[in-house]
Amino acid sequence: MDNRAGEMQVFVRVVETGSFSEAARQLLASPSTISKLVLRIEQRLGVRLFERSTRRLALTDEGRLYYERSQALLAELDDIEQALARGAHHARGTVRVNASVGFGTWGIEPLLPAFWEAHPDILVDLSLSDDLVDLYLERTDIAFRIGALGDSTLRARRIGVARRRMVAAPAYLERHGVPAGIEDLDRHNCLGFNFRRASPVWPLRQGGRIVDRMVRGNLLANNGETVRRLAIAGAGIARLADFHIDRDIAAGRLVEVLAESGHDCEEVHALYPGGRHLPQRVRAFLDFMVPRLQAFMRNP
């Protein structure tokens, strides 16, 4: 009997645990059994799926493709069984979602109660981080990302455009003065980020063109919500997306500075693994969230 689905499950477990021995422990099998099974897959396909060393396992390009497709197929099988068990039009199961802290806090979280009213049997596993995650290795169904899209097998739905603005608390500006031009940022405390894709430069408009302005400050944080709160506390000037700070500006907690020099934009997308069939629980989440998040961004 063909048991390729079972082989895929074992292979996926090896990738996600990073070793034959740990996969074997979780699957209540011996490491040699797991190793032989993976070797059997490689022999059948005629390719190497792992680069093996004494320290770690690393996926080859073929191994990553097999992993991605295996995850999609196994998710589809799970979705079929759930649909048959509960009715073809009843979405259920777990949807693993990743978003930046600010977008998740102010965009996604307020929508969840209404989502659960419509889909009470869907568990939302929500992780908030301003760093990028690998959807396949982190077993993420949907990631909401701000910024340019790279080449990928992932599919995308556009949410809108995030405009970044420079803001500070009134108390900070009273103590340190309001910057009149971007060169004045040299004497201000600019609050920054420490995640991998962060840069110590802010792209700003000057003389009709965009220039990368080096900034300095006494804070590097791993999420925008921390930067926002410290800006409100008067710690310095922050550069944050409009969806993150609109309420604070309206309430007077923050004041925009150098408005003519800011407003650089980045697109926001919902990303999810490609495939012929999208799991019903993932489709339900996307179909509910995307139009409401587009309205939240006010620029669909």
Side-chain angles (χ1 to χ4, degrees), residues 77-249:
L77 284 172
D78 182 56
D79 193 55
I80 290 170
E81 292 186 352
Q82 291 176 357
L84 291 174
R86 292 294 300 271
H89 302 291
H90 188 86
R92 67 188 299 268
T94 300
V95 178
R96 295 175 176 85
V97 181
N98 176 269
S100 69
V101 177
F103 193 79
T105 299
W106 299 105
I108 296 173
E109 288 181 11
L111 296 173
L112 287 175
F115 172 77
W116 285 318
E117 286 186 13
H119 301 283
D121 290 330
I122 292 183
L123 168 66
V124 178
D125 185 338
L126 178 63
S127 297
L128 301 183
S129 170
D130 281 22
D131 212 346
L132 298 182
V133 301
D134 186 311
L135 271 72
Y136 296 108
L137 292 181
E138 298 294 331
R139 299 182 64 194
T140 300
D141 296 305
I142 306 167
F144 292 91
R145 287 192 180 163
I146 302 171
L149 297 179
D151 293 334
S152 173
T153 59
L154 298 173
R155 300 172 68 182
R157 289 195 193 179
R158 185 178 182 274
I159 303 298
V161 175
R163 290 180 290 269
R164 296 191 182 277
R165 292 188 276 176
M166 290 172 285
V167 292
Y172 174 86
L173 296 175
E174 288 176 9
R175 293 195 308 272
H176 300 280
V178 178
I182 66 173
E183 62 278 356
D184 291 341
L185 292 175
D186 291 343
R187 60 182 179 84
H188 281 276
N189 194 45
C190 297
L191 310 178
F193 295 93
N194 62 9
F195 43 81
R196 285 175 295 174
R197 60 190 177 91
S199 171
V201 298
W202 289 355
L204 303 173
R205 288 193 181 95
Q206 185 178 44
R209 64 190 182 93
I210 302 296
V211 297
D212 288 337
R213 187 76 185 184
M214 181 72 70
V215 295
R216 295 179 179 84
N218 59 10
L219 173 74
L220 295 175
N222 69 351
N223 69 87
E225 189 64 11
T226 295
V227 172
R228 169 186 163 271
R229 288 196 297 264
L230 285 168
I232 292 172
I237 296 176
R239 176 175 162 268
L240 295 166
D242 49 6
F243 66 80
H244 208 162
I245 54 176
D246 276 348
R247 290 159 297 277
D248 299 315
I249 293 175

